[in-house]
Amino acid sequence: MISCKPAPKPFWDNAVDAYIFFVSSTLSGTADKELFNTINTHATPSILDTCKDAQFKGDKDQCITISALYNGKPVQYILVGLGDTSTTKNRHAIREQLRRGLCSAINILKKRTIPTAVVSFPCASIFGVEENELIKQMSIAAIMSDYEFSTFLNDKKNKRWNGTLLFAFDTSDQDLNKAFEKGIVIGNATSLAREMDDLPGNIMTPLEVAAQAKKIAEAHNLSYTALNRQNAQDLGMGGFCAVDEGSEKEGCIVILEYKPQKTNAPTICLVGKGITFDTGGVSLKPSQHMDGMKFDMSGAGAVIATMNIIGALKPNVHVIAIAPIAENMPSGKAARQDDIVTFMNGKTAVIRSTDAEGRLILADALCYAEKYYNPDIIIDIATLTGACAYSLGHFYTGLMTPDDELATQLHSLGLLTGDKVWRLPMDDDFKAAIKSDVADIANTGSSAYLAGTVTASHFLSNFVEKARWAHLDIAGTAHEVPGINYLGKGATGAGIRLMTEFILSFNA
Ligand code: BES
Ligand code: MG
Ligand code: ZN
């Protein structure tokens, strides 16, 4: 596991084993000049000479490790290229390059089992943010880079690299210290959620998800409630029960609440889909489509992780997470096609596919949010539709909302955090897709309308009457994202950074 700490000054006297620098295509252009020059003149051979010899020009994704002597002690200089950083457009893309570069450097530390390193970032303005924001984002990126799911790898788990990464910044600046600490909190909560998501359905059962949520609640003094199957039935949650009853493993609806000091703070509800395994139910998935369905609780993981962060940071915002958690199984007690269910708000739906189970459990959770918390804003997050992964791929979470202002805000926070969203339309024309002759609505869109991600959002919209609302479909972003090194192999923690910053933006 990585341990991130602020580097005491002077940075070059830290007796570390390695120094990490970032370099744009024009060498010496962006690195911390003071640190770089000091080291450069004390190192033999000089870094600049070695770079010239190795033709290291700071190109994008170019990395070089230089072994040298610094004041007689052997050290490694890890230089990471950022490419051309002079462009004033797309600063978020250069910032993303920095996250990935940091991950590349950390991977070198791991591979060579280098115990300690100082990392020095270029001037924040290159990345279009203040230094505190940059420090925060990079401490998150460092922790995300280090995450791996090795719990069950007997050979690997005890041999994990335990290194220390010292961040070079002015520790007498309280703003920077706070930003750094915030990043650590966000990063650690993200890793915890990724572990929950990565754990398979036989271990991360509905009750185990609840137990994790309870632990987090206790750590931060959040109120914790878990409604069981019977409670859900008593509340008239026909959608949730139709899914939950198919499994031997009883599910629950977990509610975490954070109450701020301030009394008139805005109320935000986060609702996250928690299907611990999605077989499709009696509308059974073919086995190749069942691949990855242990990740179908990533929405719940994300809202629980966000509460973990909110509980630690304690902003002046009233935040509630509601996670309906169940396992979607075929069985003698499972729902079938053509079943009609009645939700908590009295609306009815015909089940055209038991594999469209996420919207059934979310519907009741949304009703519950509105009825008991009267929130100003609801954000729901779910691995809801395969269609979303097809249309947007792995780099953008699908965003659907009737609220233009929310859309703009979430889009720009996506660019800020790297946890990106792309809006899909919600025109009324799509509503006809979920019409039914036998119930108020159907749980799948008619094939004539296509756009399964959008029609799913219309289904959900039936259960939000008063609050401003946005729906995030993380089917493509929650796991197995290719080509982004700091997101690793399995779960990514999609939506956590985004929802956290969204909530913090209301802190007053
Ligand atoms: N969990 C799936 C969605 C999913 C698919 C997430 C692939 C990640 C990767 C969801 O419950 C589901 O099965 N949705 C159906 C909906 C359809 C029956 C309308 C789908 O996408 O096929
Ligand atoms: Mg899981
Ligand atoms: Zn499904």
Side-chain angles (χ1 to χ4, degrees):
M1 286 260 286
I2 196 168
S3 158
C4 295
K5 291 181 185 142
K9 266 195 163 177
F11 304 131
W12 51 88
D13 261 3
N14 272 296
V16 290
D17 308 290
Y19 290 89
I20 300 167
F21 292 104
F22 298 88
V23 186
S24 59
S25 323
T26 43
L27 194 65
S28 80
T30 63
D32 177 325
K33 278 220 179 84
E34 196 190 355
L35 177 55
F36 185 84
N37 290 337
T38 309
I39 289 172
N40 192 45
T41 47
H42 285 70
T44 8
S46 96
I47 307 178
L48 283 172
D49 287 347
T50 315
C51 284
K52 248 181 230 140
D53 292 347
Q55 300 216 323
F56 176 83
K57 297 197 197 77
D59 292 340
K60 203 167 147 173
D61 295 327
Q62 210 186 3
C63 251
I64 183 177
T65 311
I66 305 170
S67 304
L69 287 174
Y70 174 58
N71 284 345
K73 182 182 179 281
V75 286
Q76 311 292 326
Y77 297 108
I78 300 170
L79 303 198
V80 183
L82 293 174
D84 183 0
T85 57
S86 62
T87 170
T88 51
K89 280 187 226 144
N90 292 339
R91 293 282 173 83
H92 60 91
I94 305 171
R95 207 159 57 238
E96 178 65 15
Q97 192 60 35
L98 188 63
R99 288 188 194 96
R100 296 181 196 185
L102 178 61
C103 181
S104 300
I106 290 170
N107 286 341
I108 292 170
L109 298 178
K110 280 182 160 181
K111 205 162 162 194
R112 301 190 172 203
T113 55
I114 297 172
T116 57
V118 164
V119 59
S120 165
F121 296 105
C123 173
S125 63
I126 294 166
F127 305 96
V129 290
E130 302 277 321
E131 190 179 358
N132 55 354
E133 183 63 32
L134 192 74
I135 292 289
K136 178 181 76 186
Q137 293 196 14
M138 291 310 133
S139 53
I140 297 172
I143 294 175
M144 288 184 78
S145 299
D146 181 53
Y147 172 79
E148 60 186 45
F149 179 51
S150 54
T151 318
F152 295 93
L153 290 168
N154 279 314
D155 284 346
K156 219 173 171 189
K157 69 177 178 202
N158 298 323
K159 285 191 206 133
R160 282 205 60 187
W161 172 75
N162 280 312
T164 302
L165 191 59
L166 299 170
F167 281 61
F169 63 86
D170 181 3
T171 47
S172 67
D173 184 331
Q174 276 318 306
D175 256 16
L176 297 184
N177 277 319
K178 268 194 214 148
F180 176 77
E181 285 306 325
K182 232 187 222 179
I184 300 296
V185 165
I186 297 171
N188 285 336
T190 304
S191 293
L192 211 65
R194 289 169 77 184
E195 173 90 12
M196 281 171 70
D197 298 351
D198 276 324
L199 284 167
N202 66 323
I203 294 163
M204 199 42 68
T205 60
L207 292 185
E208 186 53 33
V209 178
Q212 294 296 324
K214 190 169 184 206
K215 239 195 333 198
I216 288 167
E218 283 166 358
H220 299 300
N221 246 323
L222 306 172
S223 79
Y224 166 88
T225 315
L227 309 171
N228 62 18
R229 197 175 273 178
Q230 186 61 53
N231 300 146
Q233 228 161 43
D234 295 345
L235 283 161
M237 296 178 151
F240 175 81
C241 290
V243 179
D244 186 45
E245 280 161 9
S247 174
E248 296 270 330
K249 297 189 171 81
E250 185 174 341
C252 56
I253 294 153
V254 164
I255 301 137
L256 297 175
E257 181 176 13
Y258 163 75
K259 281 201 187 107
Q261 296 277 309
K262 218 170 123 188
T263 46
N264 58 351
T267 299
I268 300 177
C269 274
L270 307 175
V271 176
K273 171 182 174 180
I275 294 291
T276 55
F277 193 80
D278 182 13
T279 65
V282 301
S283 318
L284 195 66
K285 285 181 187 291
S287 51
Q288 70 270 27
H289 287 178
M290 239 182 261
D291 248 7
M293 284 305 128
K294 68 168 180 177
F295 296 109
D296 218 19
M297 41 63 70
S298 302
V303 302
I304 292 168
T306 305
M307 292 309 287
N308 195 357
I309 299 163
I310 295 306
L313 301 182
K314 307 202 184 310
N316 275 318
V317 188
H318 180 205
V319 194
I320 302 102
I322 303 174
I325 307 165
E327 187 181 47
N328 190 23
M329 294 290 269
S331 81
K333 290 184 181 158
R336 62 224 117 223
Q337 291 172 211
D338 284 341
D339 279 3
I340 295 174
V341 295
T342 304
F343 299 95
M344 207 181 133
N345 68 351
K347 286 197 185 175
T348 59
V350 59
I351 298 179
R352 278 212 287 242
S353 167
T354 64
D355 198 10
E357 81 296 342
R359 63 199 77 180
L360 297 177
I361 65 170
L362 286 172
D364 280 322
L366 290 167
C367 292
Y368 190 89
E370 285 228 304
K371 180 160 179 194
Y372 291 100
Y373 295 98
N374 192 27
D376 299 290
I377 299 173
I378 300 177
I379 297 184
D380 80 78
I381 178 164
T383 46
L384 204 64
T385 65
C388 189
Y390 276 99
S391 53
L392 293 178
H394 292 293
F395 308 134
Y396 286 88
T397 290
L399 163 66
M400 282 139 278
T401 173
D403 188 315
D404 291 345
E405 206 182 310
L406 267 186
T408 307
Q409 197 185 352
L410 287 165
H411 182 257
S412 58
L413 287 174
L415 293 179
L416 179 73
T417 56
D419 198 358
K420 294 183 293 187
V421 298
W422 197 262
R423 192 182 188 185
L424 293 171
M426 274 197 79
D427 309 41
D428 285 350
D429 283 333
F430 292 103
K431 270 190 187 162
I434 53 166
K435 265 197 185 149
S436 163
D437 293 333
V438 294
D440 296 338
I441 44 176
N443 84 327
T444 67
S446 137
S447 62
Y449 286 81
L450 298 170
T453 307
V454 172
T455 55
S457 77
H458 273 292
F459 183 94
L460 296 177
S461 74
N462 277 279
F463 305 93
V464 185
E465 265 148 32
K466 291 176 285 179
R468 299 174 66 196
W469 163 69
H471 161 59
L472 301 171
D473 193 330
I474 52 170
T477 48
H479 60 99
E480 252 72 65
V481 172
I484 301 183
N485 55 5
Y486 66 88
L487 295 181
K489 282 197 180 110
T492 62
I496 300 172
R497 289 175 286 162
L498 177 72
M499 289 190 293
T500 297
E501 290 305 332
F502 179 76
I503 291 165
L504 295 180
S505 75
F506 291 89
N507 186 25

